[in-house]
Amino acid sequence: MNVGKSGYRVFSANSTAACTELGKKITERLGVELGKAVVYQEPNRETRVEINESVRGQDIFIIQTIPRDVNTAIMELLVMAYALKTSCAKNIIGVIPYFPYSKQCKMRKRGSIVCKLLASMLAKAGLTHIITMDLHQKEIQGFFSFPVDNLRASPFLLQYIQEEVPDYRNAIIVAKSPSAAKRAQSYAERLRLGLAVMHGEAQCSESDMADGRHSPPSVRNTTGHPGLENSLGKHRAPFPGIELPRMMAKEKPPITVVGDVGGRIAIIVDDIVDDVEDFVAAAEILKERGAYKIYIMATHGLLSGDAPRLIEESAINEVVVTNTVPHEVQKLQCPKIKTVDVSMILAEAIRRIHNGESMAYLFRNITVDD
């Protein structure tokens, strides 16, 4: 395809070579070349972007994969989007396979919804559309003032299970926590496999974190219900004479596995693999329950810190993630980490958006809970 007559350009906003691999694969599938732009860091760590070709009246797609230096990647995306906006680009579409700060999408005690802030910043910089994949919470789409296409990686991971997992018919899909049960059920139904759910896992889940609704009331020199005074210590009930139910402390039950995994291949599914301590602990429990092989399937392989070493030393047989996040260094440290390429669906999404075609084809056989 002649990029000069195609009506769109594809740019990479990354300043590091390792992060441009996904962009190169996407452009190869589209039959175009990456746009001519230079992204680099000044000696004082300021981000500078130079667009070296005309983008006037064009549909511009910015591919931004998120490395470990998340904040630098965000600034690169914002600066490039604003540069394209001031260069009179027609539409600016961000292709962000892993959306950063997606875990910070709920209000915490004296905190902020950082994901909403980032959505506002992207809109202000000039983006008019976003293509992403497996948002941590689907409700994040409501933070944006422009369209968001939240693609799914599950067809690629399901294909990997069917083609690369020996005797996968003897497998069982495992949810690491009750909150992941819907995703696991979606996988189990499409593979015609059984489902197991782990409950009581010692983890710092989102539901365990205190938010503003559980903040203690302000201190007043009044006397309230004795049970409430005992549970709050020195804090007193805000209004005298009002009796409120006693606040009971939350206690986690012992770790249990609901479902029979004995003599089966256990496949744990999730959206993000970052700190792997929870996955390693889950693998140990499943091994004790009789599972003879353990696989981890996830869309985004952040694999932070000592994740490669912990995986290598654990009972996990394979960790399968997509290439939404660069992790070549981690793969060199741990041969158990495998990669599934999702550039095909991202390239097709770009083509369909530019041509004004329906995106429904990319979501066929995808359930709401996936």
Side-chain angles (χ1 to χ4, degrees), residues 62-122:
I62 308 174
I63 301 172
Q64 181 66 320
T65 52
I66 307 299
R68 290 191 177 186
D69 191 355
V70 177
N71 296 328
T72 297
I74 291 173
M75 280 305 302
E76 290 171 347
L77 178 60
L78 293 171
V79 175
M80 175 170 277
Y82 192 68
L84 293 166
K85 176 182 177 180
T86 55
S87 297
C88 299
K90 181 180 179 182
N91 294 302
I92 304 172
I93 300 95
V95 183
I96 314 171
Y98 168 65
F99 194 79
Y101 287 97
S102 59
K103 287 187 175 182
Q104 298 189 46
C105 60
K106 296 181 180 180
M107 176 61 75
R108 304 300 176 198
K109 178 180 176 181
R110 301 184 184 90
S112 62
I113 306 177
V114 183
C115 193
K116 166 64 175 174
L117 171 64
L118 181 55
S120 301
M121 292 168 63
L122 292 173

Side-chain angles (χ1 to χ4, degrees), residues 4-307:
K5 298 181 180 179
S6 64
Y8 73 96
R9 298 281 196 282
V10 180
F11 287 87
S12 175
N14 288 114
S15 58
T16 56
C19 297
T20 61
E21 291 302 317
L22 180 59
K24 291 178 180 178
K25 290 182 178 181
I26 292 174
T27 52
E28 286 175 3
R29 292 185 180 276
L30 291 170
V32 301
E33 297 178 356
L34 278 174
K36 298 176 182 178
V38 178
V39 182
Y40 61 96
Q41 308 298 317
E42 296 278 11
N44 63 356
R45 302 302 298 165
E46 288 185 359
T47 299
R48 185 174 292 272
V49 174
E50 297 176 0
I51 308 297
N52 295 329
E53 61 179 305
S54 175
V55 296
R56 183 179 296 272
Q58 301 272 327
D59 289 337
I60 306 299
F61 295 85
I62 308 174
I63 301 172
Q64 181 66 320
T65 52
I66 307 299
R68 290 191 177 186
D69 191 355
V70 177
N71 296 328
T72 297
I74 291 173
M75 280 305 302
E76 290 171 347
L77 178 60
L78 293 171
V79 175
M80 175 170 277
Y82 192 68
L84 293 166
K85 176 182 177 180
T86 55
S87 297
C88 299
K90 181 180 179 182
N91 294 302
I92 304 172
I93 300 95
V95 183
I96 314 171
Y98 168 65
F99 194 79
Y101 287 97
S102 59
K103 287 187 175 182
Q104 298 189 46
C105 60
K106 296 181 180 180
M107 176 61 75
R108 304 300 176 198
K109 178 180 176 181
R110 301 184 184 90
S112 62
I113 306 177
V114 183
C115 193
K116 166 64 175 174
L117 171 64
L118 181 55
S120 301
M121 292 168 63
L122 292 173
K124 191 67 175 179
L127 264 68
T128 58
H129 197 142
I130 277 184
I131 302 171
T132 187
M133 181 168 284
D134 282 334
L135 286 168
H136 186 57
Q137 298 288 342
K138 297 178 182 64
E139 293 79 6
I140 291 175
Q141 297 175 78
F143 293 161
F144 295 87
S145 58
F146 49 75
V148 177
D149 285 308
N150 183 28
L151 304 178
R152 306 294 197 276
S154 58
F156 298 91
L157 296 175
L158 291 170
Q159 183 180 14
Y160 183 94
I161 293 173
Q162 293 172 323
E163 296 178 356
E164 302 296 334
V165 176
D167 193 23
Y168 84 92
R169 289 294 182 186
N170 190 37
I172 184 168
I173 305 299
V174 179
K176 186 170 61 67
S177 63
S179 61
K182 288 186 176 180
R183 179 188 300 271
Q185 181 181 1
S186 174
Y187 276 67
E189 290 176 348
R190 281 183 282 175
L191 289 169
R192 275 68 172 178
L193 298 177
L195 174 67
V197 179
M198 302 189 70
H199 176 59
E201 184 179 2
Q203 62 176 353
C204 184
S205 64
E206 293 181 358
S207 59
D208 297 332
M209 297 180 182
D211 59 22
R213 292 170 296 177
H214 303 291
S215 299
S218 58
V219 179
R220 292 172 180 259
N221 296 322
T222 57
T223 302
H225 189 267
L228 185 63
E229 293 180 13
N230 292 336
S231 64
L232 293 178
K234 65 179 182 179
H235 296 289
R236 298 291 186 260
F239 301 105
I242 297 180
E243 295 186 3
L244 299 177
R246 185 179 179 86
M247 298 182 181
M248 302 298 294
K250 181 178 179 181
E251 295 182 4
K252 279 184 172 292
I255 297 176
T256 58
V257 180
V258 182
D260 183 16
V261 299
R264 312 286 287 276
I265 301 172
I267 302 176
I268 303 175
V269 297
D270 213 332
D271 62 329
I272 299 174
V273 178
D274 192 2
D275 297 325
V276 298
E277 287 87 353
D278 291 342
F279 291 95
V280 171
E284 293 294 336
I285 296 296
L286 293 171
K287 205 75 171 179
E288 293 174 3
R289 298 295 193 275
Y292 69 92
K293 277 189 178 180
I294 300 167
Y295 290 79
I296 309 294
M297 298 279 170
T299 304
H300 310 296
L302 304 186
L303 303 170
S304 302
D306 292 333

Side-chain angles (χ1 to χ4, degrees), residues 11 17 24 74 108 131 171 212 340 343-346 358:
F11 287 87
K24 291 178 180 178
I74 291 173
R108 304 300 176 198
I131 302 171
V340 175
S343 61
M344 178 189 301
I345 192 171
L346 294 171
S358 172

